[in-house]
Amino acid sequence: MDRTSQANRAVLLDKAYNLLLTLESRLKRAVRGRDQVIELILVAILADGHVLLEDFPGSGKTTLAKALGESIYNDKPEPPITMFRRIQFTPDLLPSDITGMTIFEPDSGSFTFRPGPLFAHVVLADEINRTSPKVQSAMLEAMAEKQVTVDNTSHALGRLFFVIATQNPRDQAGTYPLPVAQHDRFLFKIRMNNIDRDSELDVLRSIHERCTPPGNDFPMVPKSAILEARQSVDNFIYVDDRINQCLVDMANALRQSPYVAQGISTRSLVLMIPALKACALKRARDYVTADDVSYLVPYVFAHRLELTAGMEDPIKVIRECCKKPLEDLCRSTLRKR
């Protein structure tokens, strides 16, 4: 690579890194005590993945998703697509309630498509497991293909399309558990615990501050900058082939474990690569390390595993099965070429 190309690469990665810092500062201003959740959400949006939050009511999920939506503006407007929408999923919801519908216009004598709330760049799917399989199927198409199909016609969603879905781990009455295929479409599943005492005090003391609009110290970022950052991360963050070998070895170890009824899919390994690249950028590096793999593995693998009867802790199984491949990767990485 010549010096001009190297300089251009460094400039683009630096631009992407500064964008992450800007988004992070706005989200941390709005939500206190959730630094790790914020980091993972930023990694996910840069990796073009979706996030499933398992949380309790009042944990800040809506505030976090709204703050993310309000941190981005449309510098290249797409008329039918808004920045942020919240969808409250209920048992009586219909697919057309989220995708939109075709309506008849008497004046023109023709049918017109009216977009639903899925036509947003950032979508909060609240209590996604409370809706019927038909609606979950419509969500699956949107998350997988970035499009919805209404009356046999496909309508494209925005390129940025990012879903933050939530479900309550305790209140399971009247819910429809997410199918395996839909679980597999979420890059991360994050379990949100109660924040610590100091953070909770900070929440109470900063109510007025957080209710006021961010000033010039917390600028918004253009939508196109996020799309450019995705491209930069994909092109310029290096992933050694030994990382790929480690991921495949971990997947095989999990599939062969006596505690695992169904292992992880190849898709999860494919989705892991952009996530690792985004994680490396978040940590100001232009290459992926074993630390990145160790950090992300539980969030990417845990919700995709089906354990055998009697096993309830997927994280413990993952740590045990992935221990040797990670150790081999660390030794391989440290060895001189």
Side-chain angles (χ1 to χ4, degrees), residues 134-162:
K134 283 187 176 181
V135 178
Q136 290 183 1
S137 178
M139 277 296 296
L140 180 60
E141 180 189 9
M143 293 167 61
E145 309 296 337
K146 293 194 177 183
Q147 68 175 31
V148 298
T149 301
V150 179
D151 294 334
N152 291 326
T153 301
S154 296
H155 303 272
L157 300 170
R159 290 171 58 200
L160 182 60
F161 183 66
F162 178 63

Side-chain angles (χ1 to χ4, degrees), residues 154-188:
S154 296
H155 303 272
L157 300 170
R159 290 171 58 200
L160 182 60
F161 183 66
F162 178 63
V163 174
I164 300 177
T166 71
Q167 62 180 16
N168 190 326
R170 293 293 179 88
D171 186 7
Q172 297 298 319
T175 62
Y176 300 83
L178 297 182
V180 174
Q182 192 158 356
H183 261 129
D184 204 33
R185 297 296 179 178
F186 286 102
L187 176 60
F188 298 144

Side-chain angles (χ1 to χ4, degrees), residues 34-199:
R34 299 290 186 190
D35 292 0
Q36 187 178 40
V37 176
I38 288 171
E39 180 182 47
L40 289 168
I41 285 178
L42 292 177
V43 168
I45 196 171
L46 210 58
D48 197 11
H50 307 291
V51 174
L52 177 61
L53 298 178
E54 193 169 77
D55 66 335
F56 304 101
S59 59
K61 60 185 183 300
T62 303
T63 303
L64 180 57
K66 187 177 180 182
L68 178 62
E70 291 177 347
S71 297
I72 308 166
Y73 67 90
N74 269 326
D75 54 333
K76 297 179 181 178
E78 297 170 80
I81 301 179
T82 59
M83 203 61 248
F84 170 77
R85 293 295 296 269
R86 176 183 180 272
I87 306 174
Q88 180 63 54
F89 284 85
T90 57
D92 60 346
L93 205 66
L94 298 174
S96 58
D97 292 332
I98 66 171
T99 62
M101 64 184 71
T102 303
I103 61 173
F104 180 71
E105 298 285 357
D107 295 338
S108 62
S110 60
F111 289 90
T112 304
F113 175 69
R114 179 171 294 177
L118 275 183
F119 284 81
H121 294 299
V122 178
V123 174
L124 173 62
D126 215 354
E127 295 188 291
I128 191 173
N129 58 333
R130 288 204 174 278
T131 195
S132 67
K134 283 187 176 181
V135 178
Q136 290 183 1
S137 178
M139 277 296 296
L140 180 60
E141 180 189 9
M143 293 167 61
E145 309 296 337
K146 293 194 177 183
Q147 68 175 31
V148 298
T149 301
V150 179
D151 294 334
N152 291 326
T153 301
S154 296
H155 303 272
L157 300 170
R159 290 171 58 200
L160 182 60
F161 183 66
F162 178 63
V163 174
I164 300 177
T166 71
Q167 62 180 16
N168 190 326
R170 293 293 179 88
D171 186 7
Q172 297 298 319
T175 62
Y176 300 83
L178 297 182
V180 174
Q182 192 158 356
H183 261 129
D184 204 33
R185 297 296 179 178
F186 286 102
L187 176 60
F188 298 144
K189 180 179 179 181
I190 307 169
R191 297 190 177 186
M192 296 173 64
N193 300 316
N194 292 322
I195 58 179
D196 59 60
R197 183 176 184 275
D198 290 341
S199 297

Side-chain angles (χ1 to χ4, degrees), residues 16-25 42 46 278 281-282:
Y17 177 69
N18 288 330
L19 178 140
L20 279 181
L21 294 183
T22 301
L23 285 174
E24 184 178 46
S25 65
L42 292 177
L46 210 58
L281 178 71
K282 180 66 179 63

Side-chain angles (χ1 to χ4, degrees), residues 46 159 225-237:
L46 210 58
R159 290 171 58 200
I226 296 179
L227 298 178
E228 290 172 4
R230 284 180 178 175
Q231 194 66 42
S232 298
V233 167
D234 185 50
N235 290 338
F236 303 130
I237 299 294

